[in-house]
Amino acid sequence: WIHFHPKVCIVGSGPAGFYTAHHVIKARQDAEVDIYERLPVPFGLVRFGVAPDHPEVKNVINTFTQTAKHSRCNFYGNINVGKDVSVEELQQAYHAVVLSYGAEDNRKMGIPGEDLAGVYSAKDFVGWYNGLPSCQKLNPDLSCDTAVILGQGNVALDVARILLSPINILKKTDITQPALEALEKSQVRRVLIVGRRGPIQIACTIKELREMAKLPGTRPEMLAADFDGITEALKNVPRPRKRLTELLLKTALEVPNEEEQERRSKASRVWAFQFFRSPVEVLASPDKTRTAGIRLAVNRLEGSGERAQAVLTGELEDVPCGLIISSIGYKSTLIDPSVPFDSHKAIVPNINGRVQQVAGLYCSGWLKTGPTGVIATTMNNSFDTAKSLLDDMASGTVDLSASKAGFHSITGLLEKRGVKPVLFSDWEKIDSVETSKGEAIGKPREKILTVQEMLQVVHK
């Protein structure tokens, strides 16, 4: 039996891509892994999704950098798979292809008026302040008093925190300069975080809630009525959910101690969770050009705990606001027609990461599971995909007796198509420009905001 070195191609350089690569390289001493990325810069949502004031979450970049610099790993940025090179071409060049390109798109609310000026998806808003090139033209209008965020997950809380944080805190983060300037001029004083269900179904984690409760210069203002019967219901819920709800109750209802009372009385900005509300329509300004408010349906809950369903009561409520941010989830898109795709669930149909009906094709990350969980969740799900791939190599399902040329055969195609790959050493040039620009003004980094500028640094 002649066995060639397994050549594996991974599409997408976010956490899922890197964790999958790491596991394959570690488990097989002969495997060679190439990571393809659409942008000239790696790390996906760690760079473009994690909140600027959560630098500790970005420490995984150190681990990913080690993987990228491994002798059997290569990073090829600035290659748009599906456009510059097809998935079928990658399948011919590699023994196995893993799709890990994440969730690029927004879930739509599906309500009238959602296309009015002043309505943004959280994904785009986060991309804007985190320097995602495709979101730099967003230029959100922050001249209103009240912002409404639809959704109560961690991303919704990140957005609320960024909208309400004192500028001197944000100035020390890697938030982009244009976002910093816009937030400095922002008139937003009140942020409502709206959810369909009740306090026990809230989707954020305790860390994010705690940060919100302690955010300098802000105070919570919640409706006591929203918490009726909650203490009673807490007896039957799992411990993490119980602790989260207790903190929420304490923040909303408890009479604060003297120090906290003083802090709240000085606060110039207000935030609140609003429960049992679903968006029905974005209300337009008199001249119909932009948003002036949102109409919410009032819900009641049927059932209890995680499975409780929001049911309409028929009652409606209008909330005046000039900024609406929809944080109801990300969704994956199809990058290549040859790949099976479930457009209803917005995932590539798979069993343990094996793409059904296509031998040698795998998926990991949000493309595999849908957009749920934190980086650690993605780590575990990527290891599962890597294990499926490694098992298939061991069993012969992935045929290693065929010689594959890997990137060598893709280079020619890219050259013909005028595509110049960006290597990891090129990213390190970008990284060093960004960190030194940041150091000069007391920030961890100042991100380069356009692909064109990134490429200029690379080809200097």
Side-chain angles (χ1 to χ4, degrees):
W1 285 101
I2 298 177
H3 267 179
F4 290 96
H5 288 318
K7 287 195 163 66
V8 178
C9 156
I10 292 174
V11 180
S13 71
F18 266 107
Y19 281 128
T20 308
H22 170 78
H23 198 62
V24 171
I25 288 166
K26 206 175 81 172
R28 273 201 78 128
Q29 302 307 308
D30 60 346
E32 294 164 17
V33 177
D34 291 344
I35 301 175
Y36 288 67
E37 165 60 52
R38 191 180 58 177
L39 289 166
V41 295
F43 312 133
L45 276 189
V46 181
R47 177 178 167 103
F48 295 119
V50 173
D53 58 350
H54 283 174
E56 71 291 346
V57 182
K58 299 183 193 188
N59 290 342
V60 290
I61 285 179
N62 303 331
T63 318
F64 297 163
T65 298
Q66 279 175 334
T67 302
K69 294 178 106 161
H70 193 284
S71 59
R72 290 183 282 112
C73 185
N74 288 293
F75 170 83
Y76 299 109
N78 197 38
I79 300 176
N80 195 341
V81 172
K83 216 180 197 164
D84 299 334
V85 57
S86 72
V87 171
E88 282 163 335
E89 287 166 335
L90 292 174
Q91 286 173 291
Q92 281 155 20
Y94 291 88
H95 290 106
V97 175
V98 184
L99 302 173
S100 310
Y101 60 80
E104 305 262 293
D105 207 6
N106 304 307
R107 280 181 51 197
K108 298 289 271 180
M109 292 186 284
I111 61 171
E114 73 176 304
D115 297 324
L116 281 166
V119 183
Y120 306 97
S121 75
K123 186 182 97 46
D124 292 347
F125 194 80
V126 170
W128 168 69
Y129 64 65
N130 273 336
L132 185 63
S134 60
C135 299
Q136 291 317 296
K137 294 200 171 64
L138 199 71
N139 205 1
D141 182 349
L142 307 178
S143 63
C144 60
D145 171 74
T146 301
V148 168
I149 301 173
L150 300 163
Q152 296 179 327
N154 283 345
V155 176
L157 266 69
D158 284 346
V159 170
R161 227 177 38 253
I162 296 296
L163 282 172
L164 296 175
S165 280
I167 285 295
N168 60 354
I169 292 181
L170 294 178
K171 272 188 174 145
K172 299 186 187 76
T173 72
D174 68 0
I175 193 167
T176 68
Q177 210 47 42
L180 202 53
E181 286 162 21
L183 288 160
E184 200 153 14
K185 296 203 260 311
S186 166
Q187 301 297 306
V188 176
R189 294 290 171 267
R190 193 161 153 256
V191 174
L192 306 177
I193 309 161
V194 177
R196 286 175 305 143
R197 300 191 297 166
I200 291 187
Q201 289 79 28
I202 192 166
C204 63
T205 47
I206 195 160
K207 172 182 182 277
E208 272 65 21
L209 177 59
R210 195 176 288 123
E211 285 177 325
M212 208 62 227
K214 291 190 172 142
L215 190 64
T218 71
R219 68 171 185 273
E221 264 183 17
M222 282 178 265
L223 293 172
D226 279 353
F227 296 88
D228 286 352
I230 294 296
T231 314
E232 209 32 41
L234 271 187
K235 291 175 184 151
N236 312 319
V237 298
R239 188 160 178 269
R241 168 65 70 188
K242 189 173 176 184
R243 285 179 52 226
L244 175 65
T245 315
E246 283 169 348
L247 177 61
L248 186 56
L249 277 167
K250 180 174 183 251
T251 308
L253 302 183
E254 214 170 82
V255 177
N257 61 27
E258 218 169 304
E259 188 186 350
E260 175 64 4
Q261 200 118 34
E262 191 179 351
R263 187 186 83 85
R264 288 186 188 185
S265 66
K266 286 188 184 143
S268 60
R269 299 177 172 194
V270 172
W271 64 275
F273 282 115
Q274 279 202 336
F275 297 102
F276 313 110
R277 301 286 184 274
S278 299
V280 181
E281 184 183 352
V282 175
L283 306 171
S285 57
D287 63 2
K288 301 282 183 279
T289 56
R290 49 167 304 105
T291 173
I294 187 158
R295 179 160 293 161
L296 300 171
V298 181
N299 306 325
R300 60 181 170 77
L301 284 195
E302 271 182 13
S304 63
E306 304 291 329
R307 284 191 294 279
Q309 292 292 318
V311 182
L312 296 172
T313 60
E315 208 183 315
L316 295 170
E317 190 177 273
D318 290 354
V319 179
C321 62
L323 175 65
I324 295 171
I325 295 172
S326 154
S327 183
I328 57 171
Y330 290 35
K331 86 174 189 213
S332 297
T333 52
L334 181 59
I335 55 165
D336 194 303
S338 72
V339 177
F341 192 71
D342 177 338
S343 50
H344 180 66
K345 291 186 184 154
I347 57 168
V348 169
N350 69 91
I351 294 170
N352 298 331
R354 292 179 179 94
V355 177
Q356 289 161 338
Q357 286 112 36
V358 192
L361 189 62
Y362 301 83
C363 57
S364 68
W366 283 0
L367 190 60
K368 168 185 171 184
T369 57
T372 53
V374 291
I375 292 174
T377 328
T378 298
M379 177 173 79
N380 294 328
N381 111 38
S382 304
F383 286 172
D384 289 343
T385 292
K387 188 181 178 308
S388 294
L389 167 57
L390 293 158
D391 289 349
D392 290 350
M393 282 176 183
S395 71
T397 309
V398 168
D399 179 12
L400 298 178
S401 68
S403 167
K404 296 282 189 174
F407 189 70
H408 193 68
S409 68
I410 300 295
T411 320
L413 296 175
L414 294 175
E415 242 165 66
K416 271 205 276 277
R417 292 165 192 172
V419 179
K420 279 192 180 156
V422 167
L423 307 179
F424 201 77
S425 54
D426 295 327
W427 147 247
E428 291 183 308
K429 288 184 202 166
I430 296 172
D431 183 37
S432 114
V433 168
E434 289 186 340
T435 43
S436 58
K437 267 178 147 176
E439 262 165 38
I441 49 174
K443 294 169 74 173
R445 77 169 58 235
E446 186 57 58
K447 289 176 186 166
I448 297 173
L449 302 179
T450 67
V451 168
Q452 195 188 350
E453 263 178 283
M454 291 170 184
L455 296 176
Q456 274 165 357
V457 169
V458 168
H459 301 308
K460 220 190 251 175

